[in-house]
Amino acid sequence: MMKIKIIILSLLASVISTINVSGQTDVAFSNVPVVNGKVVFQQFIPNAEGVDAVQQYKRLQQWGRDRFQGNPLLSGIRFDDKGRTITISSGEELQLKTGNSGSSKMTMRYRFDTSVTNAGYMLVVRDITYQSEQPKNASSFPKTYTAEQMITDQAVNTTGEDNALRSGARNATLNFLNELYAELSAL
């Protein structure tokens, strides 16, 4: 009788773990890495089966043009055909959840680089800054914050009136980067 209970419990545990694994999504960015005092997100993305570096670089070029052409926050796109690298400096307007029912907007500016090899390509996102909404007082300028001031563990875990804003910026940033990762992984 005891063996039957153990077998049944083992089967149930196996079914539950299978359900949990199949319900999970592939999240590349779940924390904020700090390298030499700077926030730097990095992720290696393998090339699709049978796709070499030249083909993958062409896919990335087309994706970069399609994704960023017409974006008013785009600062520049640089393609280095010889080195098979792409550098994009752009921005994204983030909708932040800042508490129970509050929300605000913040513009995130960033730079991301990809370098393609035969095995895959490295996505690196760095030089992240945030700019708050334009203040109602027209004589003052919007505030600009670095990623280190806004989204690191140390920044988010401090107390103060901007804590909800920092937490919202961190969540919105991670969501944006995971969306970017998903787009690039689908190429």
Side-chain angles (χ1 to χ4, degrees):
M1 187 66 164
M2 185 64 151
K3 287 182 180 181
I4 292 174
K5 286 182 182 179
I6 292 173
I7 291 172
I8 290 173
L9 287 174
S10 296
L11 287 172
L12 280 173
S14 175
V15 168
I16 290 171
S17 67
T18 302
I19 290 170
N20 284 339
V21 168
S22 65
Q24 292 177 349
T25 58
D26 187 23
V27 176
F29 304 107
S30 59
N31 59 15
V32 179
V34 178
V35 178
N36 294 327
K38 297 289 185 182
V39 172
V40 179
F41 293 93
Q42 299 179 70
Q43 189 66 40
F44 181 78
I45 302 170
N47 289 339
E49 181 99 15
V51 177
D52 66 11
V54 173
Q55 294 167 323
Q56 189 62 40
Y57 178 67
K58 286 181 182 180
R59 288 179 179 184
L60 280 168
Q61 280 182 314
Q62 188 61 49
W63 172 83
R65 288 183 182 106
D66 293 345
R67 172 77 161 72
F68 293 97
Q69 188 174 17
N71 180 347
L73 298 176
L74 176 67
S75 296
I77 299 178
R78 190 181 89 230
F79 300 105
D80 177 0
D81 296 339
K82 186 176 181 180
R84 291 190 203 109
T85 63
I86 299 172
T87 300
I88 298 176
S89 297
S90 190
E92 186 75 18
E93 189 172 284
L94 302 176
Q95 190 72 27
L96 310 181
K97 294 179 184 171
T98 58
N100 295 338
S101 60
S103 69
S104 65
K105 291 181 184 175
M106 186 169 265
T107 301
M108 177 180 75
R109 305 228 25 107
Y110 60 93
R111 175 180 167 162
F112 84 84
D113 303 298
T114 56
S115 55
V116 182
T117 67
N118 281 328
Y121 50 102
M122 181 62 82
L123 165 66
V124 178
V125 180
R126 58 193 172 97
D127 300 337
I128 301 170
T129 59
Y130 300 89
Q131 190 171 46
S132 62
E133 291 181 307
Q134 182 70 31
K136 292 180 176 43
N137 180 356
S139 65
S140 60
F141 294 100
K143 289 185 178 181
T144 300
Y145 306 94
T146 65
E148 295 77 24
Q149 294 171 315
M150 287 294 289
I151 64 171
T152 61
D153 291 343
Q154 182 180 1
V156 171
N157 291 330
T158 59
T159 58
E161 63 183 59
D162 289 339
N163 191 316
L165 181 68
R166 285 192 216 82
S167 182
R170 179 184 175 117
N171 290 336
T173 300
L174 292 173
N175 288 338
F176 170 74
L177 292 175
N178 282 313
E179 289 170 10
L180 191 67
Y181 171 79
E183 287 179 31
L184 289 167
S185 295
L187 294 179

